[in-house]
Amino acid sequence: MIYYRESEPSSEFDKLRKRMVEEQLITRGITDERVISAMLKVPREKFLPPDLRPYAYKDGPLPIGEGQTISQPFMVAYMTEGLELQPMDKVLEIGTGSGYQTAILAEIAREVYTVERIASLLEAARNVLGRLGYTNVYFKVGNGTLGWKEYAPYDKIIVTAAAPEVPKPLIEQLSDGGRIVIPIGSTWSQRIAFVTKRGNKVSMDWGIDCVFVPLVGEYGWREDYQ
Ligand code: SAH
């Protein structure tokens, strides 16, 4: 195993990041230039506990504490591409976790509003995003299935935890012409859904299969989900 200390020059991580983008993203069909440049730029290793940093560019999810995970790089790229982000977009993210997906969104969109139910994870994400210099991210601890009404409507909404269905408050807080990307299914396996809203019409398309930790709360799963 190659072990990289934090004090070492970041060039090794830069190389691994470039390789991840080529081998895990581009080869598998990610084409959105904005997504590719954001994934080339954001240092994923900074969002991980120190002992897991050597695995930062591995092709899979990793534990971040509190029983939660940072999503696989490909899944982050796939969901972000599915949002069809524009530079002026205001984005709502449910499930901040490590804050890595938040950084990718903040690279591309104008503003990101992110909600996490576990306070310690939100604080860690707030710290790392602050250290990396992001000034267009707004944080909230709470039940994200209720959205974040105060700043609605949002052009795009991304949910990075598994839901039984699209939470109604999120559809209400979406702009006309807006888009939601969310994993829908059971607590152990889901499929990515792309939801669009035009006037009163809400339509849904399906993407790839996935496995996310459950979205907990009203409009999500109960705390003691099975
Ligand atoms: N995008 C994150 C994924 C984190 S895992 C990353 O790549 O790091 C999903 C996160 O959703 C967990 O941190 C979990 O605590 C959070 N979560 C679950 N239910 C939630 C809810 N109702 N509101 C807000 N966050 C929730």
Side-chain angles (χ1 to χ4, degrees):
M1 184 183 85
I2 312 163
Y3 188 81
Y4 303 105
R5 276 175 304 148
E6 195 172 19
S7 56
E8 274 177 298
S10 59
S11 67
E12 273 309 315
F13 281 125
D14 293 345
K15 273 189 229 153
L16 292 170
R17 187 178 318 114
K18 197 154 171 258
R19 200 156 91 196
M20 173 278 282
V21 169
E22 279 160 12
E23 293 176 1
Q24 301 174 31
L25 309 187
I26 296 174
T27 328
R28 293 185 190 144
I30 300 296
T31 56
D32 185 326
E33 287 295 335
R34 293 183 181 122
V35 175
I36 291 171
S37 8
M39 301 276 308
L40 276 173
K41 186 170 168 200
V42 177
R44 183 173 163 91
E45 67 278 8
K46 300 254 168 31
F47 294 83
L48 290 168
D51 57 324
L52 291 181
R53 285 182 192 155
Y55 309 106
Y57 296 96
K58 165 184 173 298
D59 191 10
L62 290 167
I64 53 170
E66 309 282 353
Q68 309 302 325
T69 54
I70 179 173
S71 306
Q72 177 196 22
F74 175 73
M75 192 54 71
V76 172
Y78 178 84
M79 292 179 81
T80 311
E81 184 167 78
L83 278 178
E84 298 174 1
L85 283 183
Q86 300 300 317
M88 291 310 287
D89 278 349
K90 183 170 152 190
V91 183
L92 175 66
E93 177 191 38
I94 308 304
T96 318
S98 67
Y100 175 68
Q101 168 79 72
T102 321
I104 299 293
L105 299 169
E107 284 289 337
I108 307 173
R110 181 166 55 103
E111 286 175 339
V112 182
Y113 293 80
T114 188
V115 184
E116 167 60 54
R117 66 186 280 268
I118 301 176
S120 60
L121 292 179
L122 190 85
E123 284 321 306
R126 192 203 297 271
N127 281 337
V128 56
L129 289 163
R131 279 202 304 277
L132 291 173
Y134 293 98
T135 53
N136 58 339
V137 181
Y138 304 90
F139 301 86
K140 176 178 160 139
V141 175
N143 172 11
T145 70
L146 304 174
W148 191 348
K149 211 169 172 184
E150 203 178 341
Y151 298 102
Y154 302 95
D155 303 305
K156 307 287 161 64
I157 300 179
I158 180 169
V159 181
T160 60
E165 58 186 19
V166 187
K168 212 159 48 164
L170 300 186
I171 294 172
E172 286 161 9
Q173 292 174 29
L174 186 66
S175 308
D176 195 10
R179 211 168 152 78
I180 305 179
V181 178
I182 177 171
I184 301 276
S186 64
T187 51
W188 62 90
S189 113
Q190 310 90 32
R191 187 161 285 172
I192 299 290
F194 305 100
V195 182
T196 48
K197 173 167 146 182
R198 289 194 193 283
N200 294 329
K201 194 168 167 275
V202 175
S203 47
M204 196 143 122
D205 285 319
W206 294 98
I208 61 172
D209 289 344
C210 52
V211 181
F212 278 82
V213 297
L215 180 74
V216 176
E218 196 185 345
Y219 302 103
W221 299 100
R222 279 172 34 174
E223 192 107 23
D224 58 351
Y225 59 81
Q226 265 323 313

